């Protein structure tokens, strides 16, 4: 829900983020692992000057296993039951057992600071009844 009191947190400086290199962080709290990716080309929901930066919760929506970013395939893969999620398409599941997309971490880009900020979550983080607990 957009009414939840999400924190605004700097994840990284855009200038420090290499293309296709996952940047790990936690959001909206320390128990929620996430990954930010700069795709190097415009993608759906991407932020920054090139609209190429996206971020997702890395807890699989099937049973909560940690998904890994596969740099070759440019997808998130779950090692537990092999669900695959597409970071270029809002975290949509490509194949597998999950029924929901990966929760998307909503980002903003602060041009003055060259900062990428996490500001909210679209989708329910696995195992939670609300994203802010
Ligand atoms: Fe990821 Fe089952 S926990 S596919």
């Amino acid at each position: 829900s957009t009414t939840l009191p999400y924190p605004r947190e700097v994840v990284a400086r855009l200038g420090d983020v290499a293309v296709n290199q996952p940047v790990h962080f936690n959001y909206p709290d320390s128990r929620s692992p996430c990954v930010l990716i700069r795709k190097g080309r415009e993608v759906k929901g991407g932020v920054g000057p090139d609209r190429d930066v996206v971020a997702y919760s890395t807890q699989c929506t099937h049973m909560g296993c940690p998904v890994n970013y596969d740099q070759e395939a440019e997808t998130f893969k779950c090692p537990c039951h092999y669900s695959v999620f597409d970071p270029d398409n809002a975290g949509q599941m490509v194949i597998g057992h999950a029924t929901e997309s990966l929760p998307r971490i909503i980002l903003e880009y602060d041009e003055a600071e060259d900062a990428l900020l996490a500001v909210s979550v679209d989708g329910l983080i696995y195992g939670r009844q609300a994203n802010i607990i």
Side-chain angles (χ1 to χ4, degrees):
S1 160
T2 53
T3 60
L4 291 173
Y6 283 104
R8 290 175 63 85
E9 288 181 5
V10 174
V11 176
R13 286 194 185 283
L14 179 61
D16 293 338
V17 180
V19 170
N20 207 32
Q21 297 283 338
V23 175
H24 295 264
F25 66 105
N26 294 301
Y27 186 84
D29 56 55
S30 62
R31 285 175 292 164
S32 175
C34 302
V35 156
L36 174 148
I37 306 197
R38 181 179 192 178
K39 295 308 305 284
R41 61 174 184 275
E42 184 172 341
V43 290
K44 190 172 182 175
V47 304
D50 299 329
R51 303 209 168 282
D52 65 340
V53 184
V54 289
Y56 295 94
S57 164
T58 54
Q59 284 175 271
C60 184
T61 53
H62 178 224
M63 292 181 72
C65 287
V67 299
N68 301 310
Y69 183 65
D70 181 324
Q71 289 172 285
E72 294 271 320
E74 298 188 32
T75 54
F76 288 100
K77 293 183 174 174
C78 181
C80 289
H81 317 98
Y82 310 108
S83 287
V84 176
F85 301 89
D86 183 2
D88 293 4
N89 194 20
Q92 193 174 83
M93 192 186 65
V94 181
I95 45 172
H97 295 271
T99 55
E100 303 287 336
S101 301
L102 278 185
R104 204 161 61 94
I105 309 304
I106 307 302
L107 302 172
E108 286 179 13
Y109 177 61
D110 179 337
E111 192 174 354
E113 301 286 336
D114 191 38
L116 293 158
L117 297 97
V119 299
S120 66
V121 181
D122 177 19
L124 189 61
I125 296 166
Y126 180 81
R128 298 189 175 201
Q129 294 184 330
N131 286 332
I132 303 286
I133 53 176

